Amino acid sequence: MLAGAPGTGKTALALGVSQELGPKVPFCPMVGSEVFSSEVKKTEILMENFRRAIGLRIRESKEVYEGEVTEINVEETADPLGGYGRTISHVIIGLKTSKGTKTLKLDPSIHDSITKEGVSVGDIIYIEANSGAVKRVGRSDTFSTEFDLEAEEYVPVPKGDVHKKKEVVQDVTLHDLDVANARPQGGKDVMSMLTAMGKPRKTEITDKLRTEINKVVNRYIDQGVAELVPGVLFIDEVHMLDIECFTYLNRSLESTLSPIVVFATNRGVCQIRGTDIMAPHGIPVDLLDRMVIVRTMPYCREEMMQIISIRAATEGIEVDQSALEMLGDVGTRASLRYSVQMLTPARILAETSGRTKITQDDVTEVDKLFFDGKASARFLVNSEGYMK
């Protein structure tokens, strides 16, 4: 758990963790107040996010025909129903790789896929043997000198045989499988699950269904077909959860299928929601025992200046060194968030004066125009009767 005052970088640390993990590892951020809904149970929302943070990497071996298209011939016959029309009887496609060539006689239904993908002679394609799905990869690099300017993506001619086995890796989360199988259609094999994912529907996901999916997932893991990828669930403002949620978290954290859970809070000793008990961070002691607590400290002036300069560079704002030092002083006096918010009005003020770089005078004027939270609180205390 990350515990510290507001503006000490707890959420920024969590985002840094998600970037470090990369796109293949699930990262699910949520806020404590999200669980309160008039439609869905609190525990259901928590479990949904738990399942979103657990990934499953499914490896599947497919038979494919891959190569550069050397010929496409559409064979037609007279319409069996009579009349003057003609129907496609079969499609002949020639594929070439660095090792050899092969001519395929394909079902007429594949002709629609070929037309839809815009396949022509010289393209690199692959055809799945089981489903007949056609995928255009790109244009063969042997045609790269055909035009001076071309928006086409050129790919090298595939190596090996035309007919080969290809490993396909797909990353899904347990929540995706839950949603896909809320109304099961088809078998319980991997392809049925993945196909069902594309069909949107809204139904209740029961514990019984989740248990069945866990059994199937465990079987795939034992067979070596799939690999479990535990992700990270980040719950910000965890003190907003109530005693029911904390009790549910105790049970969920002990489950075999559980992600790494990172909490964040800016509260000290406060009341646990739903009870009259005072506890550190508003969290029950039995849940605190399961945590490793990291204390986040406020930034010093030099660190604030560095963060502000990085933010300014990201937004394309030029800041003078003296202005940067003053923004650091403002951040120390008020907060880092307030000094970062001052960048935009200071830039507008500089542009109004015909300058591109923010100076110390711009920061001083903006600081006079606006109040930070602490200054506003002092103003209210000293001016009794102004706002009631």
Side-chain angles (χ1 to χ4, degrees):
M1 183 172 77
L2 305 172
T8 52
K10 297 182 293 297
T11 310
L13 269 173
L15 291 171
V17 168
S18 73
Q19 291 292 321
E20 194 67 30
L21 289 171
K24 298 289 183 185
V25 179
F27 181 84
C28 180
M30 67 171 286
V31 183
S33 54
E34 279 181 38
V35 301
F36 299 103
S37 165
S38 58
E39 295 177 356
V40 189
K41 291 184 290 186
K42 291 177 277 192
T43 52
E44 174 65 22
I45 292 171
L46 277 174
M47 180 49 79
E48 206 172 278
N49 283 294
F50 257 77
R51 307 276 286 183
R52 276 197 178 103
I54 303 168
L56 194 69
R57 189 163 293 148
I58 302 166
R59 287 185 172 83
E60 197 180 16
S61 189
K62 288 184 179 179
E63 284 190 31
V64 295
Y65 293 91
E66 187 177 29
E68 180 191 327
V69 179
T70 55
E71 61 166 324
I72 303 177
N73 291 322
V74 180
E75 299 291 331
E76 294 181 339
T77 56
D79 194 336
L81 300 173
Y84 297 104
R86 295 177 70 80
T87 58
I88 298 167
S89 63
H90 59 272
V91 181
I92 294 172
I93 287 187
L95 293 178
K96 179 181 80 174
T97 63
S98 58
K99 202 171 181 180
T101 58
K102 196 175 186 73
T103 304
L104 307 175
K105 186 179 179 181
L106 305 174
D107 189 80
S109 60
I110 295 176
H111 181 257
D112 294 334
S113 302
I114 292 168
T115 310
K116 191 178 177 183
E117 287 285 324
V119 176
S120 60
V121 174
D123 290 347
I124 304 292
I125 66 166
Y126 73 82
I127 305 167
E128 288 182 19
N130 297 336
S131 61
V134 178
K135 175 71 179 173
R136 183 179 180 275
V137 182
R139 190 84 173 148
S140 173
D141 58 2
T142 53
F143 293 87
S144 58
T145 55
E146 197 175 354
F147 301 103
D148 292 329
L149 286 173
E150 179 63 58
E152 194 65 72
E153 184 184 349
Y154 291 100
V155 291
V157 177
K159 295 174 183 177
D161 296 317
V162 174
H163 183 219
K164 63 184 79 170
K165 284 191 175 181
K166 196 172 189 180
E167 192 182 62
V168 178
V169 180
Q170 185 147 0
D171 290 294
V172 295
T173 65
L174 293 188
H175 177 68
D176 294 335
L177 299 180
D178 292 343
V179 173
N181 292 275
R183 284 182 189 161
Q185 293 185 2
K188 287 187 177 179
D189 60 312
V190 178
M191 283 313 295
S192 299
M193 283 185 166
L194 297 179
T195 307
M197 278 170 55
K199 300 172 184 174
R201 62 180 75 86
K202 183 73 178 173
T203 49
E204 187 184 349
I205 299 167
T206 60
D207 284 337
K208 187 181 176 183
L209 174 68
R210 288 196 172 115
T211 307
E212 288 298 315
I213 287 172
N214 288 351
K215 285 179 184 174
V216 175
V217 166
N218 286 328
R219 193 169 72 242
Y220 288 149
I221 292 166
D222 293 339
Q223 291 170 355
V225 175
E227 174 193 349
L228 199 69
V229 184
V232 175
L233 171 63
F234 175 66
I235 305 178
D236 206 356
E237 310 292 342
V238 71
H239 55 266
M240 292 297 293
L241 300 178
D242 63 8
I243 192 68
E244 294 171 35
C245 297
F246 288 129
T247 309
Y248 191 75
L249 280 172
N250 279 331
R251 196 200 78 175
S252 302
L253 288 168
E254 289 171 355
S255 168
T256 50
L257 292 176
S258 172
I260 297 162
V261 184
V262 179
F263 299 109
T265 181
N266 55 23
R267 297 293 167 93
V269 177
C270 62
Q271 193 173 314
I272 301 169
R273 287 191 68 159
T275 69
D276 297 326
I277 303 164
M278 301 292 285
H281 312 296
I283 300 169
V285 179
D286 56 342
L287 183 58
L288 278 172
D289 287 341
R290 291 178 166 87
M291 294 182 189
V292 176
I293 299 173
V294 179
R295 188 181 173 200
T296 55
M297 302 298 290
Y299 297 106
C300 66
R301 181 173 176 268
E302 285 70 27
E303 288 170 337
M304 286 188 184
M305 285 171 61
Q306 192 177 351
I307 292 166
I308 293 163
S309 65
I310 292 167
R311 181 64 180 265
T314 306
E315 293 188 12
I317 301 171
E318 291 181 48
V319 185
D320 192 52
Q321 183 60 33
S322 59
L324 195 62
E325 286 172 5
M326 185 158 186
L327 284 168
D329 293 334
V330 170
T332 310
R333 186 196 75 215
S335 69
L336 173 63
R337 285 175 179 155
Y338 174 68
S339 58
V340 168
Q341 293 296 331
M342 287 176 70
L343 282 172
T344 304
R347 186 197 66 189
I348 293 166
L349 204 63
E351 286 174 356
T352 308
S353 305
R355 287 179 278 104
T356 56
K357 189 178 277 192
I358 296 171
T359 63
Q360 189 175 347
D361 295 338
D362 299 325
V363 178
T364 306
E365 191 167 341
V366 168
D367 197 25
K368 287 177 183 174
L369 285 170
F370 301 104
F371 285 101
D372 61 87
K374 292 174 184 174
S376 180
R378 285 195 300 271
F379 180 76
L380 290 171
V381 168
N382 297 329
S383 57
E384 232 177 281
Y386 171 63
M387 288 179 80
K388 292 183 180 177

